Structures are given as C-alpha cells and as structure tokens.
Coordinates of all heavy atoms in Angstrom, one line a residue:
M1 N 9.5 7.6 46.8 CA 9.5 8.3 45.6 C 8.4 7.8 44.7 O 8.3 6.6 44.4 CB 10.9 8.3 44.9 CG 10.9 9.2 43.8 SD 12.5 9.6 43.2 CE 12.6 8.6 41.7
S2 N 7.5 8.7 44.2 CA 6.5 8.3 43.4 C 6.9 8.2 42.0 O 7.8 8.8 41.5 CB 5.3 9.1 43.4 OG 5.6 10.4 42.9
T3 N 6.3 7.3 41.1 CA 6.7 7.1 39.7 C 5.5 7.6 38.9 O 4.4 7.4 39.2 CB 6.8 5.6 39.4 OG1 7.8 5.1 40.4 CG2 7.3 5.4 38.0
S4 N 5.9 8.5 37.9 CA 4.8 9.1 37.0 C 4.4 8.0 36.1 O 5.0 7.0 35.7 CB 5.5 10.3 36.3 OG 6.4 9.8 35.3
Y5 N 3.1 8.3 35.5 CA 2.6 7.4 34.5 C 3.6 7.2 33.3 O 3.8 6.2 32.8 CB 1.2 7.9 33.9 CG 0.2 7.6 34.9 CD1 -0.4 8.7 35.5 CD2 -0.3 6.4 35.2 CE1 -1.4 8.5 36.4 CE2 -1.3 6.2 36.0 CZ -1.9 7.2 36.7 OH -2.9 7.1 37.6
S6 N 4.3 8.2 32.9 CA 5.2 8.1 31.7 C 6.3 7.1 32.0 O 6.8 6.5 31.1 CB 5.7 9.5 31.3 OG 6.5 10.0 32.4
E7 N 6.8 7.1 33.3 CA 7.9 6.1 33.6 C 7.4 4.7 33.7 O 8.2 3.8 33.6 CB 8.4 6.5 34.9 CG 9.2 7.9 34.8 CD 9.6 8.4 36.1 OE1 9.3 7.8 37.1 OE2 10.3 9.4 36.2
K8 N 6.1 4.5 33.8 CA 5.5 3.1 33.9 C 5.2 2.5 32.5 O 5.0 1.4 32.4 CB 4.3 3.1 34.8 CG 4.5 3.5 36.2 CD 3.1 3.4 36.9 CE 3.4 3.8 38.4 NZ 2.1 3.9 39.0
R9 N 5.1 3.4 31.5 CA 4.6 3.0 30.1 C 5.7 2.1 29.6 O 6.9 2.4 29.5 CB 4.3 4.2 29.3 CG 3.2 4.9 29.8 CD 2.8 6.1 28.9 NE 1.6 6.7 29.5 CZ 1.4 8.0 29.6 NH1 2.4 8.8 29.2 NH2 0.3 8.5 29.9
S10 N 5.3 1.1 28.8 CA 6.2 0.2 28.0 C 6.6 0.7 26.7 O 7.5 0.2 26.0 CB 5.6 -1.2 28.0 OG 4.4 -1.2 27.3
A11 N 5.8 1.7 26.2 CA 6.0 2.2 24.9 C 6.1 3.8 24.9 O 5.4 4.4 25.7 CB 4.9 1.8 24.0
I12 N 6.8 4.3 23.9 CA 6.9 5.9 23.9 C 5.6 6.4 23.3 O 5.1 5.8 22.4 CB 8.1 6.2 23.0 CG1 9.4 5.7 23.7 CG2 8.1 7.7 22.8 CD1 10.7 6.0 22.8
R13 N 5.1 7.4 23.8 CA 3.9 8.1 23.3 C 4.3 9.3 22.5 O 5.1 10.0 22.8 CB 3.0 8.6 24.5 CG 2.6 7.5 25.4 CD 1.2 7.7 25.7 NE 0.7 6.5 26.2 CZ -0.6 6.2 26.4 NH1 -1.5 6.9 25.8 NH2 -1.0 5.1 26.8
M14 N 3.6 9.4 21.4 CA 3.8 10.5 20.5 C 2.6 11.5 20.7 O 1.5 11.2 20.9 CB 3.6 10.1 19.0 CG 4.6 9.1 18.4 SD 4.5 8.8 16.8 CE 2.9 8.1 16.7
L15 N 3.1 12.8 20.9 CA 2.1 13.9 21.2 C 1.5 14.3 19.8 O 2.3 14.6 19.0 CB 2.7 15.0 21.9 CG 3.3 14.7 23.2 CD1 3.9 15.9 23.9 CD2 2.2 14.2 24.2
I16 N 0.2 14.1 19.7 CA -0.5 14.5 18.4 C -1.8 15.3 18.8 O -2.2 15.3 19.9 CB -0.8 13.4 17.4 CG1 -1.7 12.3 18.2 CG2 0.6 12.6 17.1 CD1 -2.1 11.2 17.2
N17 N -2.3 15.9 17.8 CA -3.6 16.6 17.9 C -4.5 16.3 16.7 O -4.6 17.1 15.8 CB -3.4 18.2 18.0 CG -2.8 18.6 19.3 OD1 -3.4 18.1 20.5 ND2 -1.8 19.2 19.4
C18 N -5.0 15.1 16.7 CA -5.8 14.8 15.6 C -7.3 14.6 16.0 O -7.6 14.1 17.1 CB -5.4 13.3 15.0 SG -3.8 13.4 14.2
V19 N -8.2 14.9 15.1 CA -9.7 14.7 15.4 C -10.0 13.2 15.4 O -9.4 12.4 14.6 CB -10.5 15.5 14.4 CG1 -12.0 15.1 14.6 CG2 -10.2 16.8 14.5
V20 N -10.8 12.7 16.4 CA -11.2 11.3 16.5 C -12.7 11.3 16.5 O -13.4 12.2 17.1 CB -10.6 10.6 17.7 CG1 -9.1 10.5 17.6 CG2 -11.0 11.2 19.0
N21 N -13.3 10.2 16.1 CA -14.6 9.8 16.2 C -14.6 8.6 17.2 O -14.0 7.7 17.0 CB -15.4 9.4 15.0 CG -15.4 10.6 14.0 OD1 -15.7 11.7 14.4 ND2 -15.1 10.3 12.8
I22 N -15.5 8.7 18.2 CA -15.6 7.8 19.2 C -17.1 7.1 19.1 O -18.0 7.8 19.2 CB -15.4 8.3 20.6 CG1 -14.0 9.0 20.7 CG2 -15.5 7.3 21.7 CD1 -13.9 9.9 21.9
S23 N -17.2 5.8 19.2 CA -18.5 5.2 19.3 C -18.4 4.0 20.4 O -17.4 3.4 20.7 CB -18.9 4.6 17.9 OG -18.0 3.6 17.5
N24 N -19.6 3.9 21.0 CA -19.7 2.8 22.1 C -20.6 1.7 21.6 O -21.2 1.7 20.6 CB -20.1 3.5 23.5 CG -21.4 4.1 23.3 OD1 -22.1 4.0 22.5 ND2 -21.7 5.0 24.3
D25 N -21.0 0.9 22.5 CA -21.9 -0.2 22.2 C -23.3 0.1 21.9 O -24.0 -0.6 21.3 CB -21.8 -1.3 23.4 CG -20.5 -2.1 23.4 OD1 -19.9 -2.1 22.5 OD2 -20.3 -2.7 24.5
S26 N -23.7 1.3 22.4 CA -25.0 1.9 22.3 C -25.1 2.6 20.9 O -26.1 3.3 20.6 CB -25.4 2.8 23.3 OG -25.4 2.1 24.6
H27 N -24.0 2.6 20.1 CA -24.0 3.3 18.8 C -24.1 4.8 19.0 O -24.5 5.4 18.0 CB -25.0 2.7 17.8 CG -24.8 1.2 17.7 ND1 -23.8 0.7 17.0 CD2 -25.5 0.2 18.2 CE1 -23.8 -0.6 17.0 NE2 -25.0 -1.0 17.7
L28 N -23.7 5.3 20.2 CA -23.6 6.7 20.3 C -22.3 7.3 19.8 O -21.3 6.5 19.9 CB -23.8 7.1 21.7 CG -25.2 6.8 22.4 CD1 -25.2 7.1 23.8 CD2 -26.3 7.5 21.6
N29 N -22.2 8.4 19.1 CA -21.0 8.8 18.5 C -20.6 10.2 19.1 O -21.5 11.0 19.3 CB -21.2 9.0 17.0 CG -21.3 7.6 16.3 OD1 -20.5 6.8 16.4 ND2 -22.5 7.4 15.6
Y30 N -19.4 10.3 19.3 CA -18.8 11.6 19.9 C -17.5 11.9 19.1 O -16.9 11.1 18.5 CB -18.4 11.4 21.4 CG -19.6 10.9 22.2 CD1 -20.0 9.6 22.3 CD2 -20.4 11.9 22.9 CE1 -21.1 9.3 23.2 CE2 -21.4 11.6 23.6 CZ -21.8 10.3 23.8 OH -22.9 9.9 24.6
E31 N -17.2 13.2 19.3 CA -15.9 13.6 18.7 C -14.9 13.9 19.8 O -15.3 14.2 20.9 CB -16.0 14.9 17.8 CG -16.5 14.6 16.4 CD -16.3 15.6 15.4 OE1 -15.8 16.8 15.8 OE2 -16.3 15.4 14.2
G32 N -13.7 13.9 19.5 CA -12.7 14.3 20.5 C -11.3 14.7 19.7 O -11.3 14.7 18.5
I33 N -10.4 14.8 20.6 CA -9.0 15.2 20.0 C -8.0 14.1 20.7 O -8.0 14.1 21.9 CB -8.6 16.7 20.4 CG1 -9.5 17.7 19.9 CG2 -7.2 16.9 20.0 CD1 -9.6 17.8 18.4
C34 N -7.4 13.5 19.8 CA -6.3 12.6 20.2 C -5.1 13.5 20.7 O -4.6 14.1 19.9 CB -6.0 11.6 19.2 SG -4.6 10.5 19.6
R35 N -4.8 13.3 21.9 CA -3.6 14.1 22.4 C -2.3 13.3 22.4 O -1.2 13.9 22.3 CB -3.9 14.5 23.9 CG -5.0 15.5 24.0 CD -4.8 16.7 23.2 NE -6.0 17.6 23.4 CZ -6.1 18.7 22.7 NH1 -5.3 19.1 21.7 NH2 -7.1 19.5 22.9
D36 N -2.4 12.0 22.6 CA -1.2 11.2 22.5 C -1.6 9.7 22.2 O -2.6 9.3 22.2 CB -0.4 11.1 23.8 CG -1.2 10.7 24.9 OD1 -1.5 9.4 25.1 OD2 -1.6 11.5 25.8
L37 N -0.5 9.1 21.4 CA -0.7 7.8 20.9 C 0.5 6.9 20.9 O 1.6 7.5 20.8 CB -1.1 8.0 19.3 CG -1.4 6.7 18.5 CD1 -2.6 6.1 19.0 CD2 -1.6 7.1 17.1
S38 N 0.4 5.6 21.3 CA 1.5 4.7 21.2 C 1.0 3.4 20.7 O -0.2 3.3 20.3 CB 2.0 4.6 22.7 OG 1.2 3.7 23.4
V39 N 2.0 2.4 20.7 CA 1.5 1.2 20.1 C 0.5 0.4 20.9 O -0.2 -0.4 20.4 CB 2.8 0.3 19.9 CG1 3.7 0.9 18.8 CG2 3.5 -0.1 21.1
D40 N 0.5 0.8 22.2 CA -0.5 0.1 23.1 C -1.4 1.0 23.8 O -2.2 0.5 24.7 CB 0.3 -0.8 24.1 CG 1.2 0.0 25.0 OD1 1.3 1.2 24.8 OD2 1.9 -0.6 25.7
G41 N -1.5 2.3 23.5 CA -2.4 3.2 24.3 C -2.6 4.5 23.5 O -2.0 4.9 22.6
I42 N -3.8 5.2 24.1 CA -4.2 6.3 23.3 C -4.8 7.2 24.5 O -5.4 6.8 25.5 CB -5.3 6.1 22.3 CG1 -5.5 7.4 21.5 CG2 -6.5 5.4 22.8 CD1 -6.4 7.1 20.2
G43 N -4.6 8.6 24.3 CA -5.1 9.6 25.2 C -6.0 10.5 24.4 O -5.5 11.0 23.4
V44 N -7.3 10.7 24.8 CA -8.3 11.6 24.0 C -9.0 12.6 25.0 O -9.3 12.2 26.1 CB -9.3 10.5 23.4 CG1 -10.4 11.3 22.8 CG2 -8.6 9.7 22.4
D45 N -9.1 13.7 24.6 CA -10.0 14.7 25.2 C -11.3 14.8 24.5 O -11.4 14.8 23.4 CB -9.3 16.1 25.1 CG -8.1 16.3 26.0 OD1 -7.7 15.3 26.7 OD2 -7.3 17.3 25.8
T46 N -12.4 14.6 25.2 CA -13.7 14.4 24.6 C -14.8 15.0 25.7 O -14.5 15.0 26.9 CB -14.0 13.0 24.2 OG1 -15.3 13.0 23.6 CG2 -13.9 12.1 25.4
S47 N -16.0 15.1 25.1 CA -17.1 15.6 26.0 C -17.8 14.2 26.5 O -18.6 14.2 27.4 CB -18.2 16.3 25.2 OG -18.6 15.5 24.1
Y48 N -17.3 13.1 26.0 CA -17.9 11.8 26.5 C -17.2 11.4 27.8 O -16.0 11.2 27.8 CB -17.8 10.7 25.4 CG -18.3 9.3 25.8 CD1 -19.6 9.2 26.2 CD2 -17.4 8.3 25.9 CE1 -20.2 8.0 26.5 CE2 -17.9 7.0 26.3 CZ -19.2 6.9 26.5 OH -19.8 5.6 27.0
E49 N -18.1 11.1 28.8 CA -17.4 10.6 30.0 C -17.4 9.1 30.1 O -18.4 8.4 30.4 CB -18.3 11.1 31.3 CG -17.6 10.7 32.6 CD -18.4 11.3 33.8 OE1 -19.5 11.9 33.6 OE2 -17.8 11.2 34.9
A50 N -16.3 8.5 29.6 CA -16.2 7.1 29.5 C -16.0 6.4 30.8 O -15.5 7.0 31.7 CB -15.0 6.7 28.6
R51 N -16.5 5.1 31.0 CA -16.4 4.4 32.2 C -15.1 3.5 32.2 O -14.9 2.9 31.1 CB -17.6 3.5 32.4 CG -19.0 4.3 32.6 CD -20.1 3.4 32.9 NE -20.2 2.3 31.9 CZ -20.6 2.3 30.8 NH1 -21.1 3.4 30.2 NH2 -20.6 1.2 30.0
P52 N -14.4 3.3 33.2 CA -13.3 2.4 33.2 C -13.8 1.0 32.8 O -14.9 0.6 33.2 CB -12.8 2.3 34.7 CG -13.2 3.7 35.1 CD -14.5 4.0 34.5
Q53 N -13.0 0.3 32.1 CA -13.2 -1.0 31.4 C -14.3 -1.0 30.3 O -14.5 -2.0 29.6 CB -13.6 -2.0 32.5 CG -12.6 -2.2 33.5 CD -13.1 -3.3 34.7 OE1 -14.2 -3.5 34.8 NE2 -12.0 -3.8 35.4
E54 N -14.8 0.2 30.0 CA -15.8 0.2 28.8 C -14.9 0.1 27.6 O -13.9 0.6 27.4 CB -16.4 1.6 28.8 CG -17.3 1.8 27.6 CD -18.1 3.2 27.7 OE1 -17.7 4.0 28.6 OE2 -19.0 3.3 27.0
Q55 N -15.5 -0.6 26.6 CA -14.9 -0.8 25.3 C -15.4 0.2 24.2 O -16.7 0.3 24.2 CB -14.9 -2.2 24.8 CG -14.0 -3.2 25.6 CD -13.9 -4.6 24.9 OE1 -14.3 -4.8 23.7 NE2 -13.2 -5.5 25.5
L56 N -14.6 0.8 23.5 CA -15.0 1.8 22.6 C -14.2 1.5 21.2 O -13.2 0.9 21.2 CB -14.6 3.1 23.0 CG -15.2 3.6 24.4 CD1 -14.5 4.9 24.9 CD2 -16.7 3.8 24.3
T57 N -14.8 2.1 20.2 CA -14.0 2.1 18.9 C -13.8 3.6 18.8 O -14.5 4.5 18.8 CB -15.1 1.7 17.7 OG1 -15.3 0.3 18.0 CG2 -14.3 1.8 16.4
I58 N -12.5 3.8 18.4 CA -12.0 5.2 18.2 C -11.4 5.2 16.7 O -10.5 4.4 16.3 CB -10.9 5.7 19.2 CG1 -11.5 5.6 20.6 CG2 -10.3 7.0 18.8 CD1 -10.6 6.0 21.6
N59 N -11.9 6.1 15.9 CA -11.3 6.4 14.5 C -10.5 7.7 14.6 O -11.1 8.7 14.8 CB -12.4 6.4 13.5 CG -13.1 5.1 13.3 OD1 -12.5 4.0 13.1 ND2 -14.4 5.1 13.7
V60 N -9.2 7.5 14.3 CA -8.3 8.7 14.2 C -8.1 9.1 12.9 O -7.8 8.4 12.0 CB -6.9 8.3 14.9 CG1 -5.9 9.6 15.0 CG2 -7.0 7.7 16.3
R61 N -8.5 10.4 12.6 CA -8.4 11.0 11.3 C -7.1 11.7 11.1 O -6.8 12.5 12.1 CB -9.6 12.1 11.0 CG -10.9 11.3 11.0 CD -11.9 12.4 10.6 NE -12.5 13.0 11.8 CZ -13.3 14.0 11.9 NH1 -13.6 14.6 10.7 NH2 -13.8 14.5 12.9
P62 N -6.3 11.4 10.3 CA -4.9 12.1 10.0 C -5.3 13.6 9.7 O -6.3 13.9 9.1 CB -4.3 11.4 8.9 CG -5.5 10.6 8.2 CD -6.5 10.4 9.2
P63 N -4.2 14.4 10.0 CA -4.5 15.9 9.6 C -4.6 16.0 8.1 O -4.1 15.3 7.3 CB -3.1 16.5 10.1 CG -2.4 15.5 10.9 CD -3.0 14.2 10.7
D64 N -5.2 17.1 7.7 CA -5.4 17.4 6.3 C -4.0 17.4 5.6 O -3.1 18.0 6.2 CB -6.1 18.7 6.0 CG -7.6 18.7 6.5 OD1 -8.1 17.6 6.5 OD2 -8.2 19.7 6.8
G65 N -3.9 16.8 4.5 CA -2.6 16.9 3.7 C -1.7 15.8 4.1 O -0.6 15.6 3.5
A66 N -2.0 15.0 5.1 CA -1.0 14.0 5.7 C -1.2 12.8 4.8 O -2.3 12.4 4.3 CB -1.4 13.5 7.2
N67 N -0.1 12.2 4.4 CA 0.0 11.0 3.6 C -0.1 9.7 4.5 O 0.8 8.9 4.2 CB 1.2 11.0 2.6 CG 1.2 10.1 1.5 OD1 0.1 9.5 1.2 ND2 2.3 9.8 1.0
V68 N -1.1 9.6 5.2 CA -1.1 8.4 6.1 C -2.7 8.0 6.1 O -3.6 8.8 5.8 CB -0.7 8.6 7.5 CG1 0.8 8.8 7.6 CG2 -1.5 9.8 8.2
Q69 N -2.8 6.7 6.3 CA -4.2 6.1 6.3 C -4.9 6.4 7.7 O -4.2 6.5 8.7 CB -4.2 4.7 6.2 CG -3.7 4.3 4.7 CD -4.6 4.7 3.7 OE1 -5.8 4.5 3.8 NE2 -4.1 5.1 2.6
P70 N -6.3 6.7 7.7 CA -7.0 6.7 9.0 C -6.6 5.5 9.9 O -6.3 4.4 9.3 CB -8.4 6.8 8.7 CG -8.4 7.2 7.3 CD -7.1 6.6 6.7
L71 N -6.7 5.6 11.2 CA -6.5 4.5 12.1 C -7.7 4.2 12.9 O -8.4 5.1 13.4 CB -5.3 4.9 13.1 CG -5.0 3.9 14.2 CD1 -4.5 2.6 13.6 CD2 -4.1 4.5 15.2
S72 N -8.2 2.9 12.9 CA -9.3 2.6 13.7 C -8.8 1.6 14.8 O -8.2 0.6 14.5 CB -10.3 1.9 12.8 OG -11.5 1.5 13.5
V73 N -9.2 1.9 16.0 CA -8.7 1.1 17.1 C -9.9 0.7 18.0 O -10.9 1.5 18.2 CB -7.7 1.6 17.9 CG1 -6.4 1.8 17.1 CG2 -8.0 3.1 18.5
T74 N -9.9 -0.5 18.7 CA -10.8 -0.9 19.7 C -10.0 -0.8 21.0 O -8.8 -1.2 21.0 CB -11.3 -2.4 19.5 OG1 -11.9 -2.4 18.2 CG2 -12.2 -2.8 20.6
V75 N -10.6 0.0 21.9 CA -9.9 0.2 23.1 C -10.7 -0.2 24.4 O -11.8 -0.4 24.3 CB -9.4 1.7 23.4 CG1 -8.7 2.2 22.1 CG2 -10.8 2.6 23.6
E76 N -9.9 -0.4 25.5 CA -10.5 -0.5 26.8 C -10.1 0.7 27.6 O -8.9 1.0 27.8 CB -10.0 -1.9 27.6 CG -10.7 -2.0 28.9 CD -10.1 -3.2 29.6 OE1 -9.1 -3.8 29.2 OE2 -10.7 -3.5 30.7
V77 N -11.1 1.4 28.1 CA -10.9 2.6 29.0 C -10.3 2.2 30.3 O -10.6 1.3 31.0 CB -12.2 3.3 29.2 CG1 -11.9 4.7 30.2 CG2 -12.8 3.8 27.9
L78 N -9.0 3.0 30.6 CA -8.5 2.7 31.9 C -8.9 3.8 32.8 O -9.1 3.4 34.0 CB -6.9 3.0 31.7 CG -6.3 1.8 30.7 CD1 -4.8 2.2 30.5 CD2 -6.4 0.4 31.2
R79 N -9.0 5.0 32.3 CA -9.4 6.0 33.3 C -10.0 7.2 32.5 O -9.6 7.4 31.4 CB -8.3 6.5 34.2 CG -7.3 7.1 33.5 CD -6.1 7.5 34.6 NE -4.9 7.8 33.9 CZ -4.0 6.9 33.3 NH1 -4.3 5.6 33.4 NH2 -3.0 7.4 32.6
S80 N -10.9 8.1 33.2 CA -11.3 9.3 32.6 C -11.5 10.3 33.6 O -12.1 10.0 34.7 CB -12.8 9.1 31.9 OG -13.2 10.1 31.3
A81 N -10.9 11.5 33.4 CA -10.8 12.5 34.4 C -11.3 13.8 33.9 O -11.1 14.2 32.7 CB -9.3 12.7 34.9
S82 N -12.1 14.5 34.6 CA -12.6 15.8 34.2 C -11.6 16.9 33.9 O -10.5 17.0 34.7 CB -13.6 16.4 35.3 OG -14.1 17.6 34.9
L83 N -11.7 17.7 32.8 CA -10.7 18.7 32.6 C -11.4 20.0 32.9 O -12.5 20.2 32.5 CB -10.3 18.6 31.1 CG -9.5 17.4 30.7 CD1 -9.3 17.5 29.2 CD2 -8.1 17.4 31.4
P84 N -10.6 21.0 33.3 CA -11.2 22.4 33.4 C -11.4 22.9 32.1 O -10.6 22.8 31.2 CB -10.0 23.1 34.2 CG -8.8 22.4 34.1 CD -9.2 20.9 33.8
S85 N -12.6 23.5 31.9 CA -13.0 24.0 30.5 C -14.0 25.0 30.6 O -15.0 24.9 31.4 CB -13.5 22.8 29.7 OG -13.9 23.4 28.4
D86 N -13.8 26.1 29.8 CA -14.9 27.1 29.7 C -16.0 26.8 28.7 O -17.0 27.4 28.6 CB -14.2 28.5 29.2 CG -13.4 29.1 30.4 OD1 -13.5 28.7 31.6 OD2 -12.4 29.9 30.0
A87 N -15.7 25.7 28.0 CA -16.6 25.3 26.9 C -17.5 24.1 27.2 O -18.0 23.5 26.4 CB -15.7 24.9 25.7
G88 N -17.6 23.8 28.5 CA -18.5 22.8 29.0 C -17.8 21.7 29.6 O -16.6 21.9 29.9
H89 N -18.3 20.5 29.7 CA -17.7 19.4 30.4 C -16.8 18.7 29.3 O -17.2 18.3 28.3 CB -18.7 18.4 30.8 CG -19.5 18.9 32.0 ND1 -19.1 19.2 33.2 CD2 -20.9 19.2 32.0 CE1 -20.0 19.7 33.9 NE2 -21.2 19.7 33.1
L90 N -15.5 18.6 29.7 CA -14.5 17.8 28.9 C -13.9 16.9 29.8 O -13.6 17.1 31.0 CB -13.5 18.8 28.3 CG -13.9 19.5 27.0 CD1 -12.8 20.4 26.6 CD2 -14.2 18.6 25.9
Y91 N -13.4 15.7 29.2 CA -12.7 14.7 29.9 C -11.5 14.2 29.1 O -11.5 14.2 28.0 CB -13.7 13.5 30.1 CG -15.0 13.9 30.9 CD1 -16.1 14.3 30.1 CD2 -15.1 13.8 32.2 CE1 -17.3 14.7 30.8 CE2 -16.3 14.1 32.8 CZ -17.3 14.6 32.1 OH -18.5 14.9 32.9
H92 N -10.5 13.9 29.9 CA -9.3 13.2 29.4 C -9.4 11.7 29.6 O -9.5 11.3 30.8 CB -8.0 13.7 29.8 CG -6.9 13.1 29.2 ND1 -6.5 13.3 27.9 CD2 -6.0 12.1 29.6 CE1 -5.4 12.6 27.6 NE2 -5.2 11.8 28.6
M93 N -9.6 10.9 28.5 CA -9.7 9.5 28.7 C -8.4 8.9 28.3 O -7.8 9.2 27.2 CB -10.8 9.0 27.7 CG -10.9 7.5 27.6 SD -12.1 7.0 26.4 CE -11.7 7.9 25.0
A94 N -7.8 7.9 29.0 CA -6.7 7.1 28.8 C -7.2 5.7 28.6 O -8.0 5.2 29.3 CB -5.7 7.2 29.9
A95 N -6.8 5.1 27.4 CA -7.2 3.8 27.2 C -6.2 2.9 26.6 O -5.1 3.3 26.0 CB -8.4 3.9 26.1
R96 N -6.4 1.6 26.7 CA -5.4 0.5 26.3 C -5.9 0.1 24.9 O -7.2 -0.3 24.8 CB -5.3 -0.6 27.2 CG -4.4 -1.7 26.8 CD -4.4 -2.7 27.9 NE -5.6 -3.4 28.1 CZ -6.1 -4.5 27.5 NH1 -5.4 -5.1 26.6 NH2 -7.3 -5.0 27.9
I97 N -5.1 0.1 23.9 CA -5.5 -0.4 22.7 C -5.6 -1.9 22.6 O -4.5 -2.6 23.0 CB -4.5 0.0 21.4 CG1 -4.6 1.5 21.4 CG2 -4.9 -0.6 20.1 CD1 -3.6 2.2 20.4
I98 N -6.7 -2.5 22.3 CA -6.9 -4.0 22.3 C -6.7 -4.5 20.8 O -6.1 -5.5 20.5 CB -8.4 -4.3 22.6 CG1 -8.6 -3.8 24.0 CG2 -8.7 -5.8 22.5 CD1 -10.1 -3.9 24.5
E99 N -7.2 -3.7 19.8 CA -7.0 -4.1 18.5 C -6.9 -2.9 17.5 O -7.6 -1.9 17.7 CB -8.3 -5.0 18.0 CG -8.3 -5.4 16.6 CD -9.5 -6.3 16.3 OE1 -10.3 -6.6 17.2 OE2 -9.7 -6.6 15.1
A100 N -6.2 -3.0 16.5 CA -6.0 -1.9 15.6 C -6.2 -2.4 14.1 O -5.9 -3.5 13.9 CB -4.7 -1.2 15.5
S101 N -6.7 -1.5 13.3 CA -7.0 -1.9 11.9 C -6.8 -0.7 10.9 O -6.8 0.4 11.4 CB -8.4 -2.5 11.7 OG -9.4 -1.7 12.1

C-alpha cells in the first residue's frame, strides 16, 4: 500500500492562498501563490521552475486586512512539478523551510 505525502508529513499543513515574492541567488524576483504552509514546509504555485536543492527566499504577504505580520522564509526546494494551465507555464514547488523571520 502506498503512503501519500500528507501521511509522511510531520506537521499539519494549512491551506492558504497568499501572494508571495520569490527571489533566488541571482537576485531574480518572481511572484506566486502560497497554497499551503506548515512549520517546516511550504507549497507555492509560480511561473518560476525551481531546481531541487535550490535555496530561495520567499516573502509571504498576508491577505488585505489581516492583522498578521508578513513572513519571510529561506527554503530548500524539494520538488517542482509542471501544472496544467491556460495562462502559460506554471509549476507547483514544494520546499522545506530552513529559516523563518
């Protein structure tokens, strides 16, 4: 019997839809949508095709009117998979949070 990713996770993921800014070591900036977040990981849909083991900085912007501070995390990409889209190339990136501030 196969085990799904959700059963292997050590922390519960919250499903959210927040805009994120992504930057890499080359100082290129991309936008995306954070789809899920936990204490040790993040899932983002973006036009940026991240490479496994690549380190990125992701800034999560809270929804308008939310009474929470923006979140900035350094992550290591675990995987990136192409998503079907009529709007061009989109990828779902799963990453491990290395540091949060």
Side-chain angles (χ1 to χ4, degrees):
M1 182 164 110
S2 70
T3 303
S4 72
Y5 283 112
S6 62
E7 294 169 352
K8 294 179 184 178
R9 294 184 177 131
S10 60
I12 295 173
R13 295 223 169 202
M14 297 182 303
L15 299 178
I16 60 175
N17 286 306
C18 291
V19 175
V20 298
N21 294 319
I22 303 165
S23 58
N24 61 15
D25 288 341
S26 300
H27 303 289
L28 297 175
N29 295 300
Y30 299 87
E31 279 201 346
I33 302 291
C34 178
R35 298 296 184 192
D36 56 76
L37 179 67
S38 75
V39 296
D40 59 0
I42 188 168
V44 175
D45 292 349
T46 180
S47 62
Y48 179 62
E49 185 177 10
R51 299 178 316 277
Q53 300 180 340
E54 181 177 10
Q55 287 194 8
L56 303 169
T57 299
I58 299 177
N59 295 302
V60 181
R61 291 187 270 170
D64 291 337
N67 191 21
V68 294
Q69 296 294 317
L71 173 67
S72 180
V73 293
T74 301
V75 302
E76 178 183 12
V77 176
L78 300 173
R79 64 187 169 278
S80 181
S82 181
L83 294 173
S85 172
D86 293 334
H89 296 293
L90 280 179
Y91 302 89
H92 180 74
M93 172 182 58
R96 178 178 64 90
I97 296 175
I98 299 169
E99 183 179 349
S101 57

